[in-house]
Amino acid sequence: MTEPFGARLRHAMDERGPLCVGIDPHASLLTEWGLTDDVSGLERFSRTVVEALSDRVAVFKPQSAFFERFGSRGVAVLEKTVQEARAAGALVLMDAKRGDIGSTMAAYAEAFLHNDSPLFSDALTVSPYLGYGSLSPAVALARESGAGLFVLALTSNPEGGEVQHAVRADGRNVGATMLAHLAAENTGEEPLGSFGAVVGATLGDLSTYDLDINGPLLAPGVGAQGATPADLPRVFGAAIRNVLPNVSRGVLRHGPDAGALRDSAERFADEIRSALPSA
């Protein structure tokens, strides 16, 4: 890699607009598209999304679980999807939410962040809830390979609060602690650090949190989960320029027609641009 992930992401967001589209081949979506719930349908779905949108979205976010459920043949489709998306100029954020310790965490990192891996992605979602330090192997390999991480910090699922809002002995809650770790990772990086946080767009006012981590903020929840682009400034405040809103079903339900997929993605992108403050 000639540039770290943060720099490449900043360029992609400025050039193409800050939109991340999920590649989430739910069984129900395959059925809605008139596809079979098997490897053939999986491959057709993924290829259609990539071919329709790879020249206009900043980031694709394939959800690994929906490929893994088909075993080795599904993972082979995921490998091809990642490679075709990156070859077409889009960045790929692998949504695998890996989290473990020691050599196991290192192996997960090698699967997605090693340049020679067939699943190499520009960035990976990871879970820090075995302690932020457990992510050290992934942090180190991401730096070495020019990749990035998105760490679960303040997620949009209601169950997340019992862990992320728990208050530590120092008076700071767990979610805020994760944001502070990421700010430290990104210190001095320009134009944007490579270590981002996952912060739900459905969470409302987050003004009590310091979201200025000098890194990207992946914002799930726009579209089917109820958040709108117009909500983003209220949720993210001064950090809005570094927000990467994720839309999955809101775009994907318009398939399999490629034109309809493009129109939907462009509508979301336009609404997001309109919500951003003027430079």
Side-chain angles (χ1 to χ4, degrees), residues 25 27 51 84 134 160 175 177 190 193 200 212 215 250 261 275:
E51 289 180 350
E84 290 179 350
S134 67
T177 299
E190 294 182 0
D212 183 13
L261 286 168

Side-chain angles (χ1 to χ4, degrees), residues 2 26 38 43 46 56 67 76 99 104 119 129 156 159 172 182 184 188 199 204 223 260 265 267 276:
T2 57
H26 298 262
D38 55 18
E43 188 168 19
S46 303
R56 64 197 63 215
F67 296 82
T104 309
L119 282 169
Y129 295 110
S156 56
E159 303 89 348
R172 185 166 58 183
L182 292 167
V199 178
R267 281 196 300 273
L276 295 176

Side-chain angles (χ1 to χ4, degrees), residues 39-60:
V39 172
S40 176
L42 178 73
E43 188 168 19
R44 178 72 179 275
F45 179 96
S46 303
R47 178 172 292 132
T48 298
V49 175
V50 170
E51 289 180 350
L53 301 178
S54 60
D55 64 341
R56 64 197 63 215
V57 301
V59 180
F60 282 122

